[in-house]
């Protein structure tokens, strides 16, 4: 397990975040990388950290981690991006640095949390009625959301239905329903945990 970064208590939040980024970049341990990325994703939840995370290029670190083979790193990276993208500056950075295809690729993850964060991130990045980034509502994405809207997983089903209703036009959804030769068929539904019995 990774140890807490050695940080002078007087350096404050920026210094602590810098120590986390440095540890992530320097460690060879996958467990340490996972723990550090989880911590950074949690810090991304707090808007008071946004400026520091941009300054330390944590958005790029998260985007780069989406291409990792380690599913846990991908899960934490997309979770961090999901936490960051409600902020306009963070959203623009993700959109301008080619993050959309990386995020869309997360829809095919076997990890349920990764898929849920990817759907939510796509929703945050989309502007209802805006055609500024049509790849967010491209036909394979809409078809994937149609499949997810039939999922046994309530959270995934509800997110997909919201996406289809709020971010897609009725004609896009109708076209996706009738389009036979689409790539979304190859996207498996994520593994779901068995429901806990009360």
């Amino acid at each position: 397990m990774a140890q807490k970064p050695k940080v002078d208590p007087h350096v404050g939040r920026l210094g602590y975040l810098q120590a986390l980024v440095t540890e992530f970049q320097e460690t060879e341990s996958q467990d340490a990388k996972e723990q550090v990325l989880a911590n950074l994703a949690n810090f991304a939840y707090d808007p008071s950290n946004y400026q520091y995370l941009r300054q330390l290029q944590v958005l790029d670190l998260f985007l780069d981690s989406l291409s990792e083979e380690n599913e846990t790193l991908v899960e934490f990276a997309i979770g961090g991006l999901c936490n960051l993208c409600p902020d306009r500056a963070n959203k623009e950075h993700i959109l301008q640095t080619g993050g959309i295809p990386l995020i869309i690729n997360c829809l095919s993850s076997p990890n349920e949390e990764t898929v849920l964060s990817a759907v939510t991130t796509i929703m945050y990045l989309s502007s209802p009625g805006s055609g500024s980034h049509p790849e967010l509502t491209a036909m394979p994405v809409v078809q994937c959301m149609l499949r997810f809207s039939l999922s046994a997983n309530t959270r995934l089903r509800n997110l997909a239905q919201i996406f289809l209703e709020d971010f897609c036009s009725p004609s896009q959804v109708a076209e996706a329903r009738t389009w036979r030769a689409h790539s979304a068929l190859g996207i498996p539904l994520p593994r779901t945990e068995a429901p806990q019995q009360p």
Side-chain angles (χ1 to χ4, degrees), residues 7-34:
V7 179
D8 181 335
H10 300 32
V11 297
R13 194 180 299 241
L14 178 61
Y16 184 76
L17 292 170
Q18 176 64 68
L20 285 173
V21 171
T22 300
E23 182 179 353
F24 182 85
Q25 293 168 335
E26 292 179 355
T27 188
E28 296 295 321
S29 165
Q30 285 297 306
D31 288 340
K33 281 187 179 286
E34 289 172 6

Side-chain angles (χ1 to χ4, degrees), residues 47-128:
S48 65
N49 293 323
Y50 289 171
Q51 177 183 344
Y52 300 130
L53 295 171
R54 281 193 298 271
Q55 181 179 341
L56 296 170
Q57 300 176 328
V58 172
L59 282 92
D60 295 321
L61 188 144
F62 286 150
L63 288 167
D64 291 343
S65 296
L66 294 181
S67 301
E68 292 283 339
E69 290 183 20
N70 180 328
E71 281 290 328
T72 302
L73 289 178
V74 174
E75 175 186 345
F76 295 145
I78 190 65
L81 289 170
C82 186
N83 288 340
L84 287 167
C85 67
D87 177 75
R88 182 177 303 253
N90 294 336
K91 174 181 172 177
E92 287 306 313
H93 181 83
I94 294 166
L95 292 170
Q96 292 173 3
T97 57
I100 295 172
L102 297 169
I103 293 165
I104 289 173
N105 283 342
C106 290
L107 294 174
S108 63
S109 172
N111 181 312
E112 174 183 287
E113 293 302 319
T114 298
V115 174
L116 290 165
S117 291
V119 172
T120 305
T121 302
I122 290 169
M123 290 168 65
Y124 279 136
L125 295 174
S126 300
S127 300

